[in-house]
Amino acid sequence: MRVLTWSALVLALTAGSAMTSPAHAQAYDPRYPVCMKVYEGGRFGGGEWIDCSYTSLPQCRATASGRSATCDLNPFYAPPSPPPRRVRRHHH
């Protein structure tokens, strides 16, 4: 019975903390192929964020130079669809 009570308490605390934590929006913008992850702060805080506004790795790396940041390919990049092919009809 003790194990069941303890399990119920842990489950309630876990569910409660999940409900009170803020939801995170999608950090990766699918319109751009390259993202820069920026790390800021020191031992006592700070944060990190992702900036997906780059069209190439060299462009991102130039911006990241001298900063605590890395550039990577965007795993959620959705390239634009190619234009539809035109069908040519031959007249005989």
Side-chain angles (χ1 to χ4, degrees):
M1 187 66 172
R2 263 190 168 153
V3 172
L4 183 61
T5 303
W6 181 250
S7 298
L9 177 63
V10 169
L11 181 63
L13 289 174
T14 304
S17 66
M19 292 172 64
T20 59
S21 63
H24 295 284
Q26 173 68 24
Y28 296 92
D29 187 338
R31 296 175 296 171
Y32 294 94
V34 179
C35 297
M36 179 173 60
K37 188 170 187 179
V38 181
Y39 307 91
E40 285 199 349
R43 299 183 327 193
F44 303 109
E48 59 185 55
W49 72 89
I50 297 171
D51 176 11
C52 293
S53 61
Y54 301 95
T55 56
S56 69
L57 282 170
Q59 178 195 30
C60 179
R61 288 178 181 143
T63 305
S65 179
R67 301 171 75 179
S68 181
T70 60
C71 295
D72 289 307
L73 296 178
N74 183 350
F76 298 99
Y77 175 60
S81 300
R85 293 185 65 186
R86 295 183 67 182
V87 177
R88 292 182 172 248
R89 295 187 180 166
H90 296 287
H91 297 285
H92 296 287

